[in-house]
Amino acid sequence: MEEQQQVYLEENRKLMELLVKGQTETAAKLAPSAALPKFSEYDLATELLTDYMNRYYTFVAAHSIPEERKANVFLINQSPALYKQISNMAGQLETPKLINEVTMEEIDNFLKEQYDPPRFLVRERYKFWSTMKRKPGETIHELANRIRQEATTCDFSNIDDPLDEAMRTRFVCSVNNEAVLKALFKVKETELSFKRAIEIATETEDAAKIAKETVYGEQQKVNKVQPDHRTKTPTGTSNYKEARQTTFNCYRCNKTTHTAKECPYRSATCNFCQKLGHLRVACRKRKATTNKRPIAQKSTPKQQLKTIRRIHMEQLQKSIEIEEQIIEMELDTGACDNFITEEVWCKLEKPVLSTTTTNYESASKHPIEVIGQCQLNAKTVKGNPIALNFVVSRVPNLNLIGRGAIKLLGISIDNLLSQQTTTTCKLVDQETADKSLQQSCEQLCNEFPDLFNNDLGCLKDYELEIKFKADAKPVFYKPRPVPFAIQDKLNLAYETGIQRGIWKPVQFN
C-alpha cells in the first residue's frame, strides 16, 4: 500500500508539472481513468437536450478531456437504450462506422435530430402569449423562472421589427380558426409578416368556403324566427303529447318586464279578493268569475295519416267519481294534464271555463282542439275529496287522467296491468300498406353496401385535435401483468385490432 501511494503521488506530481507548462492534452492522456467522476445520463423527461449538452461541454472542459476522447466519455455515461440508438445511427451512415469511431459532432447532430427538432417560432410565441398563466399556489419567483424557461424557445432577441411582430402575434392569438392557425404555424418566422399572415388567413377561409359550396352546394338563406326570450317549450311523449309554450308573466301584476320575486306589488292587497300579494288585474279568482263563456281555440286542420300497421292495445280504464258522477276515464302515465270531452263537460252541467295557454298535440303530431279548462272535484280511491284541473277537448272519447292525477288519486297501475289481457297486433291488408319506405331503404342499402357492413371505417378529411392542460406531464407506466391463462386470447385480440387498423405496434413505450 505504501508503494502504491508513492506511485500515485509521483503521477500527481508529474501531472502538476505538465499543467504548469500548459501541456493539457498530454496530462489528460497520463491521467488515470478512475480519477474521472461519473456524468449523469440524459433523461428526456427532466431536461432539454441543449441544457444537457451545455452541461456536458462544461464537464469535459473542467476535466481537460481531449477532443478524441469526448465521444467515448459521453457514451460510457449514457443508458443502454441511448447507446444502442447511437450505435444503430453509426451503422446507417453513408459510410458505416463502429460506435467507437463516431465523433462528438456526429453524436451531437444525431441527438438534435432525434430529441431537439426545429421549433416553429410562430407557434412558440403563440403559446407564450396565449397560454402563460399563473398556476394555483405558484410563487412569484417560480412564475418568473417558468416565464424565463418558456421565453428561451421564442428567440425574442432576434426580432428585427418589434411593431410588426407585436401585431402579427396579436393577430395569430385572436384569429380563432383552427385551419388558419395550422397554415400560419407551417410558415417560417422570417417569411411571416403581419401582412403575409392576413393574406394566408384570408386565402384559407375563402378556400374552405369555396370547397364547402362545391361539395354541398351554395347555402340558401332562411328567415330566422326569433322566439320570445320569456318563453320555453318543454316536450313529453305519450299517447297525447303536449307541446307547451308558457309565457312567464308576473302573477302579481300580470307584467312581463320582471319576475314575481322582483315585483314591487308583493305587499299590495287585491281590490277584488282582498288577498295580499297581487293586484286586481292579475287576480285569478276574478278571471274565473268573468270568463263564463267557453272560448274556442284556433287549431290547424288535421293532416291525413297513412297507416301501415294497426296496433290494438287494451286501455287502462278506471271509474272515477267526478262532481258526484261516475265517469269512465283512461289512465295515461305519459300525459301531464287531465282531459275530458265536451260531452262529459255538458253532462257535468258546464262548469265555468277559463282560457288555457297550452297547445296540445297527439303522438302523431296532430293538434288537439280544446275549448278551455276548468277545476272539478273528484274522489280518491280512499274516498277523500280532491280538486283536479281538467282540459275540455272536442276530440271524441278523450277522457284521460294524467300521471300527476294518478298519483294524487292513489290509483295502483300494477293492479290494473295484472287484470289486462294480452296485447295483440294486427297486420293491415298488404294492398293498402305503403311500401315506399321499404323500397327506399332497400335501394339505399344496394347503392351503398359499404356503409352497412360490420367493418370499422374512418372519417375522411377530418382531423381531431386533442388539447391537454398546460401543466400536464406524461407519466410512464410499466406493462400491466396479464394472467397466463388469458395471454393467448389477449395476443389474438391484439393481432385482430392491428389488422383492422385499431392498434398500431410500436417498438418503445
Side-chain angles (χ1 to χ4, degrees):
M1 291 177 62
E2 292 178 356
E3 292 178 356
Q4 290 179 358
Q5 187 175 4
Q6 292 294 333
V7 173
Y8 181 74
L9 293 175
E10 183 67 21
E11 290 179 352
N12 287 340
R13 185 183 62 79
K14 292 180 180 180
L15 289 173
M16 292 300 297
E17 293 177 355
L18 292 175
L19 289 174
V20 172
K21 295 178 181 179
Q23 300 178 2
T24 56
E25 294 184 1
T26 306
K29 292 180 180 179
L30 296 176
S33 59
L36 189 66
K38 182 175 176 59
F39 188 73
S40 60
E41 64 183 34
Y42 176 56
D43 186 3
L44 176 64
T46 59
E47 191 174 11
L48 296 175
L49 178 64
T50 54
D51 297 338
Y52 179 81
M53 296 306 298
N54 290 336
R55 287 201 305 113
Y56 178 72
Y57 288 131
T58 304
F59 172 81
V60 297
H63 292 84
S64 304
I65 300 176
E67 187 67 29
E68 62 271 12
R69 292 185 57 197
K70 289 181 180 179
N72 301 98
V73 175
F74 180 84
L75 292 172
I76 63 174
N77 287 282
Q78 301 307 316
S79 63
L82 184 58
Y83 184 91
K84 182 63 176 176
Q85 290 184 12
I86 298 175
S87 178
N88 295 336
M89 179 272 301
Q92 296 173 1
L93 295 174
E94 295 181 359
T95 304
K97 296 182 179 181
L98 297 175
I99 189 170
N100 293 328
E101 299 174 355
V102 179
T103 62
M104 191 62 206
E105 183 180 0
E106 293 173 339
I107 294 177
D108 198 355
N109 294 335
F110 170 74
L111 293 178
K112 288 181 179 179
E113 180 181 352
Q114 296 293 324
Y115 301 107
D116 190 23
R119 297 176 181 268
F120 294 98
L121 293 180
V122 179
R123 182 182 61 187
E124 295 298 321
R125 293 173 185 175
Y126 168 80
K127 291 166 52 181
F128 181 84
W129 291 114
S130 61
T131 62
M132 179 62 67
K133 294 181 180 179
R134 187 176 181 181
K135 300 179 181 179
E138 188 177 32
T139 64
I140 295 297
H141 293 288
E142 291 174 347
L143 176 62
N145 291 333
R146 193 158 57 88
I147 292 176
R148 293 190 186 98
Q149 180 69 23
E150 295 293 336
T152 56
T153 60
C154 297
D155 196 18
F156 289 121
S157 58
N158 292 328
I159 296 177
D160 297 330
D161 190 349
L163 178 60
D164 187 83
E165 164 64 24
M167 292 189 298
R168 186 195 67 185
T169 305
R170 183 68 268 172
F171 177 77
V172 173
C173 294
S174 305
V175 69
N176 196 22
N177 188 318
E178 182 180 354
V180 174
L181 290 177
K182 289 181 180 179
L184 294 175
F185 290 160
K186 294 178 182 178
V187 184
K188 294 183 179 179
E189 193 272 339
T190 55
E191 301 175 0
L192 187 64
S193 61
F194 179 56
K195 180 179 179 181
R196 179 57 181 157
I198 296 175
E199 294 175 356
I200 294 176
T202 305
E203 293 172 358
T204 304
E205 290 191 346
D206 290 346
K209 181 179 179 182
I210 294 173
K212 188 173 183 180
E213 291 178 353
T214 303
V215 176
Y216 301 105
E218 186 176 358
Q219 296 182 355
Q220 298 180 356
K221 295 182 179 180
V222 179
N223 295 328
K224 180 181 180 181
V225 178
Q226 183 67 33
D228 186 5
H229 70 283
R230 292 182 173 273
T231 60
K232 65 177 183 178
T233 308
T235 57
T237 57
S238 65
N239 291 340
Y240 300 97
K241 182 175 68 175
E242 309 92 62
R244 298 194 170 203
Q245 191 173 13
T246 307
T247 303
F248 286 91
N249 292 354
C250 176
Y251 64 85
R252 301 184 187 275
C253 63
N254 208 28
K255 294 183 179 180
T256 60
T257 57
H258 56 266
T259 60
K261 293 182 179 180
E262 303 170 350
C263 184
Y265 302 102
R266 288 178 296 178
S267 58
T269 304
C270 177
N271 295 332
F272 184 82
C273 65
Q274 304 300 322
K275 291 184 178 180
L276 188 67
H278 64 275
L279 299 178
R280 177 187 176 90
V281 69
C283 182
R284 297 179 181 178
K285 189 174 182 180
R286 184 182 68 85
K287 291 180 181 180
T289 305
T290 55
N291 295 338
K292 296 181 179 180
R293 297 181 60 186
I295 301 175
Q297 308 235 345
K298 296 182 180 180
S299 60
T300 56
K302 297 183 178 180
Q303 302 176 356
Q304 191 66 24
L305 182 65
K306 294 183 179 179
T307 303
I308 298 178
R309 291 179 181 271
R310 183 177 73 246
I311 299 178
H312 173 69
M313 175 179 278
E314 291 188 5
Q315 300 176 346
L316 295 177
Q317 299 287 343
K318 181 70 175 177
S319 298
I320 307 295
E321 184 178 345
I322 302 175
E323 296 293 340
E324 299 181 356
Q325 296 192 33
I326 303 300
I327 307 296
E328 192 72 16
M329 304 292 291
E330 178 187 353
L331 305 182
D332 189 351
T333 58
C336 295
D337 293 341
N338 311 313
F339 294 85
I340 58 174
T341 62
E342 188 176 9
E343 180 183 357
V344 174
W345 176 68
C346 296
K347 182 179 179 181
L348 297 176
E349 298 181 355
K350 298 182 179 181
V352 178
L353 295 179
S354 61
T355 306
T356 176
T357 58
T358 305
N359 296 327
Y360 298 93
E361 63 180 16
S362 65
S364 58
K365 301 293 184 180
H366 290 69
I368 299 176
E369 185 178 359
V370 299
I371 62 176
Q373 61 182 357
C374 61
Q375 197 172 51
L376 302 175
N377 296 321
K379 285 190 177 181
T380 64
V381 175
K382 297 182 179 180
N384 300 324
I386 186 173
L388 297 177
N389 189 59
F390 286 87
V391 179
V392 182
S393 168
R394 288 200 171 105
V395 179
N397 301 322
L398 184 56
N399 297 312
L400 184 144
I401 295 294
R403 56 177 176 266
I406 293 175
K407 183 177 180 180
L408 294 175
L409 293 172
I411 301 173
S412 175
I413 302 296
D414 295 336
N415 296 335
L416 297 176
L417 289 175
S418 61
Q419 302 172 2
Q420 189 181 27
T421 57
T422 307
T423 303
T424 58
C425 179
K426 298 181 180 180
L427 181 64
V428 181
D429 189 1
Q430 295 294 336
E431 295 180 357
T432 61
D434 188 0
K435 296 184 178 180
S436 59
L437 178 61
Q438 183 178 1
Q439 294 176 356
S440 300
C441 292
E442 292 178 355
Q443 181 181 358
L444 184 66
C445 295
N446 295 333
E447 186 176 355
F448 304 101
D450 295 339
L451 296 179
F452 303 98
N453 56 23
N454 295 326
D455 297 334
L456 295 178
C458 297
L459 293 177
K460 296 182 179 180
D461 302 327
Y462 184 83
E463 294 183 1
L464 176 64
E465 182 179 358
I466 302 177
K467 295 183 179 180
F468 295 93
K469 294 182 179 179
D471 56 346
K473 294 182 179 180
V475 181
F476 175 82
Y477 288 102
K478 295 182 179 180
R480 296 180 181 272
V482 179
F484 182 78
I486 65 172
Q487 285 185 358
D488 293 338
K489 295 182 179 180
L490 184 62
N491 293 332
L492 179 61
Y494 285 155
E495 295 297 332
T496 304
I498 293 172
Q499 294 176 3
R500 300 180 66 181
I502 302 176
W503 308 112
K504 182 186 294 184
V506 295
Q507 186 177 1
F508 300 99
N509 209 345

